[in-house]
């Protein structure tokens, strides 16, 4: 009996596949398919409903219902039994359709005489295409085998869609089903871009959904599963150095890869006529639909594992690697689950934008995207499931929004926005040669933050007065091994050369916390941001810091050198680090090598403690730079990496401003140069407020220099200071409202 069912199913699938080879348009094929299915399943009715837009399904072909209703009958997602199947992605099977909750009677179709109803989703890895329905007169529920069989048929229809079987006329579902989708993520890097999707890991194309020889297909599947299991076991053996979370993920993979149920279900699909690849995809889609319904966050998290394993299995089966030979489209926008900094750098400025499902503001990829000034949206959930290579895509890095296959009206509005930004950039470019001077003649020095060679061209184009923060750790993060002294010296020299005499403040290695270098054993720390990081690592394991200092000294070739140490929390740390630098200079000198003409040594003020250090500390510093990103997170006790809290407290909160003012006062009293180099320095309102409070050097990403300068030149900072003081006297919690209202009135 089982054998008979399998043979029937295989015959049906083969016939479906053969329709691919028949001439005729998409509608002819759809009509033929409904006929074949009704015949094979012994039902009076078979219908195919397809999405016309994300909310509407349309009857596109039928055997048994009123032919006049085709392309006339439509329903909303969730409406009626068909709408329910589409919404949930789960089959509906009933012997008495009219009594089912949510049943909606559609007189145009003539379906009132059919009592039983079986509907299954037509979907492909999370992409919902429509619903396949069979109906018959006798009031009986369909058997489990029949449900299963229809799901397999639906899978083949979905794969045929992917292969373009139904494109061509009004019944076509080739491109019409690719609707506009909007993703709401978070800002990784501001800016707007329009382009074409480039999938970092393209989806596998299943060329043949139907298998001719079930035994051969099962053998292929089992071999691929064995290889996959062996890979995962190997990874687990090598996982000793991984952190707990990574190991847990691998363990979960292992469980899934060894799950008998998973392999058994795929073998059953093959028995019914699917190819091994299509069986993997069917199992992935069905499990997805189930997991997505789950309210258990842990289970939903497992979606990633499932997708990952299925994709690996598909690549093993098809032999398709990540490189499909496809050419990078014009204006490529990279879409990926996540990407490493080195890979992103490889693409370089070719990319117009980047959209990631994961990532974080402080992730290395985000840092690289920022350095390259590429708009980046992170946390765009499920974008890799929806996007296909070549799809039109709009990236709004300012709002953290992505439009995939946008409506023309949305694309039009977006282009206006890009044009306006380009217009503004042109205006800012005209300001390049003029100083950031307010109306009363007060000058503010605007410097840029950098960390990659890719940043260097910005030194000229932005009009920066120099590099206020060179994050040296980026060179460590993008490599798979510790860079050598010679390499670093050559690189630092190129930076100093590019600055053409303008100052460059090199910050020594700031690793730990969110910045994990691949070749250092990760530390399992409960609070890495407050853990073993930055100067703490440098002093405890001085080898790398010493090598870096030597590289800096050599790179200077006798020219002036500025070095600052990150995350100084107590004067001792600064004194020890400074002594180390001086010792290295002495050593070079005894070796008769050139030493920097003028050495300036500074500290980054990133912990509140340092603001209260004794005067002797300030006297020992040549300059201090406020690392506002860290300082703010410790001031408000709000993790800068945590989306829930990182925007909770305003930088213009009067308490924080009072603290900044106190730091300014201490630096002034001790005659120490002070700058601010956190991200806030590049936000025009924040920058203006800091300048009004007396900060005379701001270091920011290059793209912010124009807008900040533009604003400074339009105001009188002393008047703004009065506005700020008045707001504080009134008891405002933040001066933001007062500052923006005043600016608007100018
Ligand atoms: C800061 O903390 O403000 C800073 C500039 O350092 P980073 O962002 O690299 O930690
Ligand atoms: Mg910092």
């Amino acid at each position: 009996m089982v054998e008979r069912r399998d043979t029937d199913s295989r015959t049906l699938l083969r016939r479906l596949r053969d329709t691919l080879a028949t001439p005729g348009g998409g509608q002819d094929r759809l009509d033929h398919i409904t006929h074949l299915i009704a015949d094979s399943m012994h039902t009076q009715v078979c219908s195919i409903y397809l999405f016309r837009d994300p909310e509407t399904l349309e009857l596109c072909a039928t055997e048994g219902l009123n032919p006049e209703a085709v392309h006339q009958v439509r329903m909303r997602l969730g409406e009626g039994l068909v709408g329910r199947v589409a919404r949930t992605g789960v089959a509906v099977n009933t012997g008495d359709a009219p009594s089912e909750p949510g049943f909606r009677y559609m007189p145009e179709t003539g379906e009132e005489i059919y009592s039983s109803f079986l509907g299954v989703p037509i979907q492909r890895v999370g992409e919902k295409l429509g619903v396949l329905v069979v109906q018959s007169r006798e009031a009986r529920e369909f058997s489990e085998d029949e449900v299963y069989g229809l799901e397999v048929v639906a899978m083949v229809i979905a794969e045929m869609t992917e292969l373009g079987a139904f494109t061509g006329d009004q019944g076509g579902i080739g491109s019409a089903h690719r609707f506009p989708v909007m993703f709401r993520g978070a800002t990784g890097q501001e800016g707007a871009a329009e382009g074409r999707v480039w999938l970092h890991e393209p989806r596998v194309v299943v060329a043949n959904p139907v298998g001719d020889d079930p035994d051969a297909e099962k053998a292929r599947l089992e071999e691929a599963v064995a290889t996959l299991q062996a890979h995962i076991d190997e990874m687990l053996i090598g996982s000793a150095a991984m952190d707990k979370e990574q190991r847990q993920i691998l363990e979960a993979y292992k469980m899934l890869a060894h799950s008998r149920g998973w392999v058994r279900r795929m073998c059953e699909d093959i028995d019914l006529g699917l190819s091994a690849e299509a069986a993997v995809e069917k199992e992935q889609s069905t499990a997805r639909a189930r997991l997505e319904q789950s309210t258990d966050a842990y289970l939903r998290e497992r979606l990633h594992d499932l997708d990952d394993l299925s994709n690996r299995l598909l690549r093993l089966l098809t032999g398709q690697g990540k490189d499909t030979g496809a050419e990078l489209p014009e204006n490529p926008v990279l879409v990926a689950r996540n990407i490493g900094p080195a890979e992103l750098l490889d693409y370089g400025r070719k990319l117009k934008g980047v959209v990631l499902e994961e990532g974080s503001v402080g992730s290395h990829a985000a840092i690289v995207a920022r350095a390259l000034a590429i708009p980046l949206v992170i946390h765009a959930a499920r974008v890799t499931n929806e996007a296909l290579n070549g799809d039109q895509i709009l990236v709004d890095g300012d709002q953290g929004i992505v439009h995939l296959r946008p409506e023309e009206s949305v694309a039009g509005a977006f282009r206006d926005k890009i044009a306006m930004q380009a217009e503004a950039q042109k205006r800012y470019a005209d300001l390049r040669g003029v100083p950031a001077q307010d109306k009363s003649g007060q000058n503010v020095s605007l410097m840029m933050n950098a960390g990659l060679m890719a940043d260097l061209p910005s030194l000229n184009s932005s009009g920066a007065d120099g590099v206020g923060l060179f994050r040296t750790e980026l060179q460590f993060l993008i490599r798979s091994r510790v860079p050598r002294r010679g390499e670093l010296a050559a690189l630092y020299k190129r930076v100093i050369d590019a600055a053409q005499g303008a100052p460059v403040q090199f910050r020594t290695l700031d690793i730990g916390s969110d910045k994990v270098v691949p070749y250092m054993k990760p530390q399992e720390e409960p609070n890495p941001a407050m853990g073993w990081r930055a100067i703490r690592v440098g002093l405890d394991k001085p080898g790398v810091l010493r090598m870096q200092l030597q590289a800096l000294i050599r790179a200077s070739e006798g020219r002036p050198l500025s070095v600052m140490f990150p995350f100084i929390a107590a004067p001792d740390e600064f004194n020890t680090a400074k002594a180390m630098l001086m010792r290295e200079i002495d050593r070079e000198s005894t070796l008769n090598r050139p030493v920097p003409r003028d050495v300036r040594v500074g500290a980054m003020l990133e912990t509140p403690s340092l603001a209260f250090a004794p005067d002797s500390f300030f006297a020992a510093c040549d300059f201090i730079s406020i690392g506002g990103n860290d300082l703010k997170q410790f001031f408000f006790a709000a993790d800068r990496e945590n989306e829930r809290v990182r925007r909770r407290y305003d930088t213009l909160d009067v308490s924080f401003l009072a603290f900044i003012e106190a730091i300014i006062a201490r630096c002034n009293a001790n005659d120490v140069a002070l700058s601010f180099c956190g991200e806030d320095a590049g936000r025009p309102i924040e920058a203006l407020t800091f300048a009004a409070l007396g900060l005379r050097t701001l270091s920011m990403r290059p793209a912010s220099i124009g807008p900040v300068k533009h604003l400074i030149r339009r105001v009188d900072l002393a008047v703004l200071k009065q506005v700020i003081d008045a707001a504080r006297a009134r008891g405002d919690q933040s001066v933001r409202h007062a500052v923006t209202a005043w600016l608007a009135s100018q």
Side-chain angles (χ1 to χ4, degrees):
M1 176 66 202
V2 169
E3 187 47 41
R4 214 193 89 64
R5 158 185 81 110
D6 290 1
T7 318
D8 282 355
S9 172
R10 285 206 292 273
T11 311
L12 172 60
L13 295 201
R14 242 173 265 146
R15 283 189 183 155
L16 291 182
R17 183 186 56 189
D18 291 345
T19 59
L20 270 175
T22 58
Q27 186 66 49
D28 294 339
R29 287 189 177 144
L30 283 173
D31 290 344
H32 187 55
I33 283 175
T34 51
H35 172 75
L36 286 176
I37 297 171
D39 184 47
S40 169
M41 302 261 314
H42 309 293
T43 57
Q44 285 89 43
V45 176
C46 172
S47 312
I48 293 177
Y49 296 82
L50 296 171
F51 278 103
R52 274 292 157 232
D53 62 57
E55 294 296 320
T56 319
L57 287 145
E58 181 179 300
L59 175 65
C60 284
T62 184
E63 167 82 14
L65 296 185
N66 179 4
E68 307 274 291
V70 172
H71 297 304
Q72 301 306 317
V73 164
R74 290 186 174 197
M75 64 210 57
R76 312 272 304 155
L77 185 67
E79 183 186 13
L81 301 186
V82 172
R84 197 211 297 177
V85 175
R87 186 168 50 78
T88 58
V90 175
V92 170
N93 176 14
T94 169
D96 183 8
S99 319
E100 257 316 285
F103 173 80
R104 197 191 128 217
Y105 167 57
M106 284 176 293
E108 330 64 307
T109 62
E111 67 176 340
E112 61 278 15
I113 52 174
Y114 303 108
S115 179
S116 61
F117 174 104
L118 169 60
V120 298
I122 305 173
Q123 61 190 359
R124 189 182 174 264
V125 201
E127 186 183 12
K128 292 181 172 174
L129 304 173
V131 177
L132 173 64
V133 176
V134 289
Q135 290 170 281
S136 70
R137 265 192 215 105
E138 29 163 358
R140 64 160 186 114
E141 258 194 37
F142 289 87
S143 70
E144 231 177 77
D145 281 352
E146 285 170 312
V147 177
Y148 209 79
L150 198 66
E151 281 175 349
V152 167
V153 169
M155 185 69 222
V156 172
I157 295 178
E159 297 288 1
M160 288 169 76
T161 311
E162 195 66 24
L163 295 171
F166 310 118
T167 42
D169 57 20
Q170 63 160 6
I173 50 175
S175 55
H177 74 280
R178 301 217 173 283
F179 314 118
V181 198
M182 191 185 93
F183 300 88
R184 207 173 275 284
T187 298
Q189 155 71 25
E190 284 94 352
E194 175 177 9
R196 298 272 159 193
V197 168
W198 176 255
L199 287 169
H200 182 50
E201 293 197 341
R203 272 208 236 157
V204 176
V205 182
V206 176
N208 182 9
V210 180
D212 290 313
D213 177 352
D215 291 334
E217 293 299 310
K218 277 191 278 188
R220 286 177 61 227
L221 177 72
E222 274 156 16
E223 192 189 321
V225 169
T227 313
L228 178 74
Q229 289 171 343
H231 278 177
I232 294 169
D233 292 346
E234 262 168 46
M235 278 157 74
L236 264 168
I237 292 169
S239 72
M242 290 180 188
D243 66 21
K244 205 166 82 199
E245 204 178 353
Q246 282 171 308
R247 241 187 350 261
Q248 276 172 349
I249 291 174
L250 274 183
E251 293 285 357
Y253 271 32
K254 182 176 169 165
M255 252 171 61
L256 198 60
H258 285 264
S259 137
R260 277 169 204 272
W262 189 46
V263 180
R264 195 196 60 234
R265 283 190 298 274
M266 291 191 284
C267 285
E268 283 170 5
D269 295 333
I270 291 175
D271 279 332
L272 290 175
L274 289 187
S275 64
E277 291 88 342
V280 174
E281 288 220 323
K282 176 175 173 290
E283 204 32 53
Q284 188 181 2
S285 302
T286 318
R288 258 187 164 278
R290 237 181 316 149
L291 287 175
E292 272 173 357
Q293 298 283 313
S294 164
T295 47
D296 184 331
Y298 175 81
L299 278 182
R300 271 185 283 118
E301 272 292 304
R302 298 280 72 79
L303 265 176
H304 264 350
D305 302 348
L306 174 81
D307 282 343
D308 223 58
L309 281 187
S310 305
N311 289 337
R312 280 166 191 251
L313 205 49
L314 282 173
R315 287 191 198 287
L316 284 170
L317 282 166
T318 57
Q320 287 172 30
K322 289 178 189 174
D323 184 5
T324 57
E327 280 198 20
L328 205 64
E330 241 179 82
N331 300 323
V333 170
L334 184 123
V335 174
R337 192 96 73 70
N338 213 340
I339 187 170
E343 287 171 304
L344 190 53
L345 259 184
D346 274 348
Y347 286 107
R349 288 188 202 274
K350 273 185 283 203
L351 297 178
K352 286 283 168 249
V354 178
V355 180
L356 301 179
E357 288 189 358
E358 300 170 358
S360 70
V361 206
S363 70
H364 314 148
I367 292 168
V368 172
R370 228 167 280 152
L372 297 171
I374 301 172
L376 163 69
V377 171
I378 54 174
H379 301 168
R382 298 178 45 74
V383 67
T384 59
N385 285 309
E386 296 281 351
L388 285 184
N389 267 344
D391 279 349
Q392 191 189 1
I393 187 166
L394 312 175
V395 184
D396 186 339
D398 304 324
Q399 310 284 332
I401 288 175
V402 175
H403 298 275
L404 187 65
R405 304 181 286 267
E407 305 265 10
E408 201 34 50
S409 57
V410 174
F414 197 80
R415 278 179 208 127
D416 289 347
K417 178 178 166 149
I418 294 179
M420 261 165 59
Q421 285 185 350
E423 181 72 22
Q425 281 304 333
K426 226 171 63 221
R427 251 184 292 131
Y428 299 142
D430 295 340
L431 289 178
R432 202 172 356 183
V434 302
Q437 190 175 67
D438 84 341
K439 279 183 168 166
S440 71
Q442 179 65 246
N443 275 309
V444 181
S445 174
L446 304 185
M447 320 228 342
M448 66 174 245
N449 295 346
L452 296 167
M453 298 316 275
D455 291 315
L456 297 186
S458 301
L459 254 167
N460 264 328
S461 59
S462 69
D465 295 330
V467 178
L469 164 66
F470 191 89
R471 290 181 162 106
T472 60
E473 61 275 8
L474 297 195
Q475 296 300 331
F476 286 74
L477 293 173
I478 59 177
R479 283 177 162 77
S480 52
R481 55 168 180 79
V482 187
R484 292 185 224 290
R485 184 177 56 190
E487 283 173 288
L488 287 182
L491 191 129
Y492 299 153
K493 175 177 147 37
R494 277 171 69 190
V495 178
I496 299 172
D497 289 349
Q500 297 177 327
V504 180
Q505 297 184 164
F506 288 97
R507 172 175 80 182
T508 62
L509 200 54
D510 179 10
I511 49 166
S513 185
D514 60 309
K515 297 164 188 156
V516 185
V517 285
Y519 37 84
M520 249 183 79
K521 192 166 166 275
Q523 303 295 315
E524 274 189 36
E525 294 185 299
N527 281 309
M530 294 194 279
W532 196 55
R533 56 173 290 199
I535 196 66
R536 300 171 183 177
V537 180
L539 295 179
D540 293 357
K541 294 235 182 272
V544 175
L545 180 57
R546 196 173 300 127
M547 181 270 280
Q548 199 186 14
L549 294 175
Q550 289 164 355
L552 284 166
I553 295 164
R554 295 204 179 158
S556 76
E557 294 183 335
R559 291 169 287 186
L561 177 67
S562 293
V563 177
M564 62 178 171
F565 297 108
F567 214 67
I568 298 287
D572 260 2
E573 292 171 335
F574 176 74
N575 297 336
T576 312
K578 182 176 172 180
M580 216 161 131
L581 173 64
M582 294 310 170
R583 230 181 2 257
E584 292 311 318
I585 292 178
D586 282 349
R587 189 164 299 158
E588 290 291 291
S589 188
T590 36
L591 292 171
N592 278 330
R593 294 218 179 95
V595 292
R597 178 152 35 91
D598 170 30
V599 184
R600 295 179 74 241
V601 191
M604 284 198 66
L605 198 155
E606 304 188 89
T607 60
S609 63
L610 205 61
F612 302 95
D615 282 340
S616 56
F617 161 72
F618 288 85
C621 288
D622 293 311
F623 64 95
I624 285 177
S625 191
I626 297 176
N629 305 334
D630 275 311
L631 187 65
K632 192 179 159 193
Q633 82 166 335
F634 296 118
F635 187 79
F636 287 111
D639 186 348
R640 64 191 262 193
E641 288 285 310
N642 181 338
E643 287 299 325
R644 277 212 173 136
V645 298
R646 73 184 192 92
R647 279 188 247 247
R648 197 178 177 97
Y649 305 98
D650 192 352
T651 303
L652 301 190
D653 181 291
V654 292
S655 307
F656 191 58
L657 294 185
F659 187 48
I660 298 285
E661 245 182 342
I663 297 169
I664 297 172
R666 289 216 63 192
C667 287
N668 285 345
N670 289 282
D671 206 15
V672 187
L674 176 67
S675 60
F676 188 109
C677 67
E679 295 303 318
D680 282 321
R683 303 196 168 102
I685 307 288
E686 281 79 342
L688 214 54
T689 306
F690 292 156
L693 293 182
L695 260 164
R696 291 289 171 257
T697 304
L698 302 171
S699 192
M700 60 198 74
R701 58 194 179 91
S704 295
I705 290 181
V708 169
K709 191 189 279 185
H710 172 74
L711 213 50
I712 289 177
R713 290 177 60 82
R714 293 179 56 190
V715 301
D716 183 329
L717 290 171
V719 178
L720 176 57
K721 173 72 167 37
Q722 289 165 10
V723 172
I724 293 168
D725 286 342
R728 296 199 277 199
R730 257 199 321 270
D732 289 6
Q733 185 179 313
S734 160
V735 305
R736 184 173 301 277
H737 178 71
V739 174
T740 42
W742 177 76
L743 273 176
S745 73
Q746 291 292 292

